[in-house]
Amino acid sequence: MALALPDLAPDYTLRTVALGAMLLGLSSGVVGTYAVLRRESLLGDAMSHAALPGIALAFLLTHSKESALLLAGAVAAGWLGALLVSAITRTTRVKLDTALGLILSVFFGFGLVLLTFIQKQPDASQAGLDRFLFGQAASLLRRDVMVMGAGTVAVLLAVLLLWKEFKLLVFDPDFARVLGLRVRLLEVILTSMIVLAIVVGLQTVGVVLMSAMVVAPAAAARQWTDRLGLMVLLSALFGVVAGMSGALISSLTPRLPTGPTIVLAVSGLVLVSLLFAPNRGLVWNWARERGRRGQVRAEGMLRQLAALAEHHGSLEHGHPSAVLRASGWSPEQVEHVLHDLESAGYVRQVGADRWAITAAGMARVRPAAEAENAGDAPARPAASGTEVTGEGQP
Amino acid sequence: MTDRHNGKVPAVEVQDLTVAYREQPALWDVDLTVPSGVLLAIVGPNGAGKTTLLKAILGLLRPVAGQVLVFGQPVEQQRRRISYVPQRGSVDWDFPTSVLDVVMMGTYGELGWIRRPGRRERERALAALDQVGMRELSDRQISQLSGGQQQRVFLARALVQDADIYLMDEPFQGVDALTERAIVTLLQQLRAQGKTVMAVHHDLQTVPEYFDWVMLLNVRRIACGPVTEVFNEQNLRLTYGGRFAMAAFAREVEEAAPAIVTPDRSRSGGDDHGTGAA
């Protein structure tokens, strides 16, 4: 991907930004899969917000704007936030969502206070820390991208090496412990990976929107597949695509911020996935539900016609569609279903608005009817069914 | 896994085990000795601590007091010899994976860090699926399984471990009659191989038919021993409280059990337990 970029993006800044955005999408897409499957999507949100005071403190202590240093502060604060969340849920009766909300707001509030304090200082070199709030991709340097690349490589290595461990940890941690796996250690590694992925994206997307990059690609990927491996790949791909397209779009449009554009791009992917993915997509479900309802309706109508035919003792006798308007179906619905049944060969039109069931329709309906009253009299309905059908056959 | 214990060292030994959730004791001073090679049912009312007992034996919970020995050693040193079939509802069945993949998880312990399961592990998982009659569903996504099939997947995952002790949490919960039969047959095969099974069980009527040992538990241990000796009305009443319905039901069990058991037993091939209840 890095090789293809020079033609795509001759401009040095854009190349750096696009590469950074892709790395961000890659790492958060991979890590997000596990966070989403563990139902810990909001852990990412809490940790990214918690990173802000770490950045501010790192600056206050060193007065350096070196991003590696600031990001180290972010890692430490993010980690502390995660530790506190786990400590709170384990030692008190506070539930996970409450603990996450607490840590998020307390840390973020503290971070904002520190940021304001820093901005009021006479020192001129303080400017620019607020870029971590919403991200400022244009300020990315090649060196920053190298740091991001290192973080991404670490995340990918961990997933590759600990593939089966993480899978079991997410699916059934108790069983993992029974097998003798070091569940605590694995959890620490997984949390570290989330922190790393967040830090990779902080400069581009900022602490406020970063959690979208953790949650969205994975949520979109889940819609398309039922295999973990494929889900991780798709999630990474979605993250990369969103990162790259967000970077390109914002570079082509003046005054469009990169980070939010990336988040919008990934949201678009989620929307498409929620709607159109096979099996899980809403449109798919809607169509399936509709098909099922139509089938039930057709079945019911066929049954009515069969009952009418048996009542008259003839398949030749046609019945007006008004007779079939049971259970509140509109005339259009009745008409529609009748035409469907006709094209399937189960009914035929014997006159103007006169309908009769065919032998094939009879054969389709009656076995089901037999099965239904098989309990009380298995022999009789079968006999009467064949009788009527026989009459209609030439 | 080759060495057999001929009843010398108990498979599981629990001493003075007390577990509490926020001051409320879930298990109180429980002693338990399970000899090797028995099928043990753990029965007791809701909230009696049955699942807690299994989890404490497995080292998933930290007890307030007491100790657990598995073949005479702490469970941490016997991981390879003990396996677990958790309740079906304990995991998210919408997890994106296949039946075969879940069963192969049973091999992760012996594989150790980083190594992935290979062809050998695959074959073993397929063999285990054969044992529970699920081989043809090995590629199926786990969210498409019925309750009974989920249960059998968990059993297969435990079988793959080839352990000596199997702890099962309600293996018969929500399965149809056919699956129940299959699981009972499996339990008997395990016993024939000298394995030990401890299963949380809810259906008092089938205890004498399916198991040869029983533990009656209600936070405290009420009784534990061969079904013929301890599965009686008095112990059941102590376990389930003086509730009229339960006491009446217990009597019904004692009277009905031999009658129910006999026709089934002739089919499943001659066990020697359960007759003493009448």
Side-chain angles (χ1 to χ4, degrees):
Chain A
M1 273 169 284
L3 289 176
L5 270 175
D7 330 326
L8 205 65
D11 170 11
Y12 169 80
T13 313
L14 177 56
R15 204 162 62 203
T16 313
V17 169
L19 194 58
M22 280 164 57
L23 287 173
L24 141 78
L26 182 60
S27 57
S28 57
V30 169
V31 166
T33 308
Y34 294 98
V36 165
L37 288 177
R38 261 166 79 90
R39 294 157 192 254
E40 283 181 349
S41 314
L42 289 178
L43 189 61
D45 205 17
M47 285 196 289
S48 65
H49 280 78
L52 189 61
I55 294 167
L57 277 177
F59 175 78
L60 278 175
L61 289 176
T62 63
H63 283 273
S64 146
K65 277 172 43 173
E66 178 63 49
S67 40
L69 247 171
L70 298 180
L71 292 182
V75 168
W79 237 113
L80 183 65
L83 271 182
L84 284 177
V85 167
S86 129
I88 288 173
T89 49
R90 224 173 318 144
T91 56
T92 71
R93 287 184 181 221
V94 174
K95 297 280 186 299
L96 179 66
D97 57 340
T98 315
L100 288 170
L102 269 175
I103 294 303
L104 183 153
S105 46
V106 167
F107 273 66
F108 188 56
F110 183 51
L112 287 179
V113 167
L114 287 179
L115 224 55
T116 317
F117 173 75
I118 290 168
Q119 275 164 349
K120 294 236 168 85
Q121 282 196 318
D123 185 355
S125 71
Q126 37 78 10
L129 273 197
D130 52 346
R131 73 172 193 268
F132 286 104
L133 268 185
F134 297 108
Q136 199 178 57
S139 69
L140 277 184
L141 302 173
R142 165 162 286 181
R143 214 163 8 148
D144 300 334
V145 174
M146 307 252 274
V147 173
M148 293 168 78
T152 307
V153 167
V155 164
L156 293 182
L157 261 182
V159 168
L160 276 178
L161 291 178
L162 300 176
W163 178 257
K164 74 173 196 298
E165 283 83 358
F166 282 144
K167 187 198 291 182
L168 184 53
L169 176 73
V170 175
F171 178 63
D172 194 348
D174 272 356
F175 191 73
R177 215 162 335 150
V178 168
L179 288 179
L181 266 63
R182 304 271 307 273
V183 168
R184 264 292 138 68
L185 180 60
L186 286 169
E187 278 174 339
V188 166
I189 297 174
L190 193 57
T191 306
S192 306
M193 285 163 54
I194 297 180
V195 172
L196 259 182
I198 285 167
V199 165
V200 163
L202 276 188
Q203 274 176 291
T204 317
V205 172
V207 298
V208 178
L209 289 176
M210 189 52 214
S211 72
M213 292 310 295
V214 174
V215 178
R222 182 66 188 94
Q223 291 289 107
W224 298 94
T225 176
D226 278 332
R227 292 287 187 267
L228 182 63
L230 207 52
M231 181 177 168
V232 170
L233 281 180
L234 272 179
S235 182
L237 180 73
F238 288 161
V240 168
V241 166
M244 200 167 64
S245 50
L248 289 179
I249 292 168
S250 72
S251 79
L252 297 174
T253 322
R255 308 182 59 169
L256 200 60
T258 309
T261 310
I262 293 173
V263 170
L264 280 183
V266 82
S267 309
L269 284 172
V270 170
L271 189 68
V272 169
S273 305
L274 285 179
L275 287 178
F276 300 112
N279 289 321
R280 286 177 170 257
L282 287 177
V283 171
W284 183 280
N285 274 337
W286 176 76
R288 193 163 41 190
E289 188 58 35
R290 215 181 120 93
R292 212 178 289 149
R293 218 178 299 153
Q295 206 174 352
V296 169
R297 202 174 273 162
E299 204 86 5
M301 193 166 298
L302 212 52
R303 215 161 276 187
Q304 281 188 40
L305 277 168
L308 286 169
E310 277 167 359
H311 185 72
H312 285 267
S314 150
L315 289 179
E316 302 305 317
H317 197 87
H319 306 276
S321 62
V323 175
L324 301 167
R325 250 172 257 158
S327 55
W329 300 347
S330 70
E332 293 78 35
Q333 278 172 331
V334 172
E335 196 80 3
H336 183 79
V337 173
L338 278 173
H339 280 294
D340 277 357
L341 285 171
E342 187 181 21
S343 55
Y346 292 140
V347 304
R348 62 203 172 95
Q349 203 163 359
V350 292
D353 195 35
R354 295 224 151 231
W355 299 84
I357 192 166
T358 61
M362 218 54 203
R364 190 185 151 88
V365 171
R366 276 315 159 205
E370 274 162 43
E372 261 169 34
N373 7 323
D376 35 73
R380 209 171 44 84
S384 80
T386 42
E387 210 172 277
V388 176
T389 322
E391 228 172 86
Q393 275 162 351
Chain B
M1 252 155 286
T2 44
D3 51 339
R4 289 281 301 273
H5 290 259
N6 301 318
K8 285 275 185 339
V9 184
V12 174
E13 194 167 13
V14 173
Q15 289 159 359
D16 312 324
L17 184 69
T18 300
V19 180
Y21 298 113
R22 310 197 182 282
E23 280 121 70
Q24 182 82 24
L27 289 174
W28 183 260
D29 200 27
V30 169
D31 293 307
L32 172 68
T33 305
V34 183
S36 182
V38 301
L39 297 183
L40 172 93
I42 303 170
V43 301
N46 292 327
K50 303 183 291 292
T51 298
T52 306
L53 176 63
L54 292 191
K55 288 193 170 181
I57 292 172
L58 290 162
L60 298 175
L61 291 171
R62 193 182 297 255
V64 176
Q67 67 165 346
V68 173
L69 295 177
V70 174
F71 289 120
Q73 283 179 312
V75 67
E76 284 76 22
Q77 287 156 37
Q78 299 282 21
R79 285 290 179 210
R80 301 276 288 276
R81 303 186 64 180
I82 192 162
S83 185
Y84 181 38
V85 180
Q87 283 183 29
R88 272 190 293 129
S90 64
V91 303
D92 175 12
W93 289 94
D94 197 35
F95 188 82
T97 193
S98 67
V99 166
L100 183 64
D101 222 26
V102 172
V103 177
M104 276 201 287
M105 286 174 183
T107 66
Y108 287 8
E110 62 199 78
L111 281 173
W113 290 90
I114 294 168
R115 249 185 76 202
R116 305 260 184 106
R119 187 190 299 172
R120 216 173 65 91
E121 284 72 26
R122 214 182 128 82
E123 307 267 284
R124 277 170 50 200
L126 284 171
L129 278 170
D130 250 343
Q131 266 182 283
V132 299
M134 292 266 299
R135 194 191 180 103
E136 65 280 13
L137 297 181
S138 65
D139 276 335
R140 185 158 297 188
Q141 152 67 16
I142 58 171
S143 65
Q144 292 163 8
L145 299 177
S146 72
Q149 290 167 340
Q150 291 174 351
Q151 195 65 63
R152 284 187 278 166
V153 168
F154 267 180
L155 280 168
R157 184 178 70 170
L159 289 176
V160 161
Q161 262 182 277
D162 194 22
D164 294 320
I165 304 174
Y166 292 85
L167 304 196
M168 305 183 178
D169 203 343
E170 301 193 28
F172 298 106
Q173 196 237 332
V175 304
D176 61 24
L178 218 65
T179 307
E180 183 156 335
R181 263 284 129 224
I183 296 175
V184 170
T185 310
L186 194 66
L187 293 185
Q188 278 156 2
Q189 284 168 1
L190 287 174
R191 187 184 40 194
Q193 294 166 28
K195 315 275 189 184
T196 310
V197 176
M198 298 174 66
V200 173
H201 193 57
H202 266 303
D203 183 6
L204 293 178
Q205 304 224 28
T206 51
V207 166
E209 182 187 348
Y210 296 168
F211 297 92
D212 45 18
W213 271 51
V214 64
M215 175 193 197
L216 295 111
L217 178 73
N218 190 352
V219 184
R220 294 160 179 272
R221 190 195 79 165
I222 309 297
C224 181
V227 172
T228 46
E229 288 168 24
V230 302
F231 196 64
N232 54 39
E233 182 180 347
Q234 189 199 351
N235 280 335
L236 280 170
R237 197 180 283 145
L238 281 171
T239 310
Y240 287 89
R243 274 169 276 168
F244 168 75
M246 275 329 298
F249 179 60
R251 197 175 305 120
E252 197 177 288
V253 168
E254 287 188 28
E255 284 160 11
I260 292 171
V261 170
T262 333
D264 264 312
R265 181 144 5 116
S266 52
R267 251 190 293 138
S268 62
D271 316 22
D272 52 356
H273 58 81
T275 35

